[in-house]
Amino acid sequence: YMSGSTLEAMALAVENSAVVVVCFSEDYKKSGACRTEAEYTYKTKKPFVPVRVQPDYNADGWLGALLGNSLYFDLFDQSTIDSNFGNLVREIGSRGLASHSNAPQAPVSVERTSSAPVARSFASWTVDEVTDWVKALNIGVDENVLKSFEFDGKCLLGLREYRCDLLDAFLVQQMGLKW
């Protein structure tokens, strides 16, 4: 379980987030720190987007109760990343925008498959291809930021390594995404 400054840092991260990404797996469920963060997210009524990062894992217990019937995104191998990453980014953006507006939040329709087939793995995309893709998503990321960080397909693949709290910070601080 978390204590001291770690607990405070987690609470501040949740409080200052427009949306929390819950990357769940069996290890996530077993982690006291993850449970604390998830329960605090629920208590503060922050919008959250569930992402399953372990194949064939079905949440139960406290995690199953938290997720309920929520739609989630699978991101655990190249195929699921290719299929679902764009929809995940759109969902994060739409939930983040909704959480900062005065309008009531309506459920967002989520598809679990890509609207267009990916001809090749996005890990091989160039900076220009990533920039064009992000511009097509219309999520408000400044293309100059992508280019200045040389954000290519390998960087997209690297996002999978980020845990829930880091994804939100990365999108806001490094990518310039405005919620």
Side-chain angles (χ1 to χ4, degrees):
Y1 288 83
M2 288 190 260
S3 62
S5 62
T6 303
L7 186 59
E8 183 177 342
M10 179 278 305
L12 287 172
V14 170
E15 292 164 4
N16 293 319
S17 295
V19 63
V20 176
V21 178
V22 176
C23 299
F24 69 95
S25 65
E26 187 174 357
D27 287 341
Y28 181 90
K29 183 186 175 204
K30 290 177 183 177
S31 167
C34 291
R35 181 174 181 166
T36 299
E37 185 175 52
E39 288 180 348
Y40 192 63
T41 298
Y42 178 79
K43 179 183 178 210
T44 58
K45 296 181 171 46
K46 283 289 182 176
F48 69 93
V49 177
V51 176
R52 184 170 65 171
V53 295
Q54 178 183 342
D56 301 319
Y57 177 71
N58 293 313
D60 59 0
W62 70 266
L63 183 55
L66 175 76
L67 298 177
N69 290 326
S70 299
L71 291 176
Y72 57 85
F73 295 88
D74 282 334
L75 290 180
F76 46 75
D77 61 19
Q78 188 66 52
S79 173
T80 59
I81 292 170
D82 287 346
S83 297
N84 299 325
F85 189 78
N87 288 326
L88 171 62
V89 171
R90 280 190 291 279
E91 180 72 1
I92 291 168
S94 65
R95 298 265 180 121
L97 290 171
S99 73
H100 277 61
S101 72
N102 293 329
Q105 292 186 32
V108 178
S109 173
V110 178
E111 296 176 29
R112 291 204 188 175
T113 59
S114 173
S115 59
V118 177
R120 58 187 166 92
S121 168
F122 67 79
S124 63
W125 287 2
T126 66
V127 172
D128 288 334
E129 289 171 315
V130 170
T131 302
D132 290 344
W133 176 70
V134 171
K135 281 178 15 183
L137 293 175
N138 196 27
I139 57 174
V141 175
D142 183 346
E143 67 182 88
N144 294 321
V145 172
L146 294 171
K147 289 181 179 182
S148 69
F149 281 99
E150 297 181 6
F151 203 90
D152 62 7
K154 288 180 184 173
C155 292
L156 282 178
L157 188 59
L159 282 177
R160 181 172 181 245
E161 302 299 319
Y162 286 97
R163 295 296 299 200
C164 307
D165 54 338
L166 295 179
L167 181 58
D168 185 59
F170 179 80
L171 290 172
V172 172
Q173 295 170 3
Q174 299 297 321
M175 301 287 294
L177 186 62
K178 304 287 188 237
W179 298 118

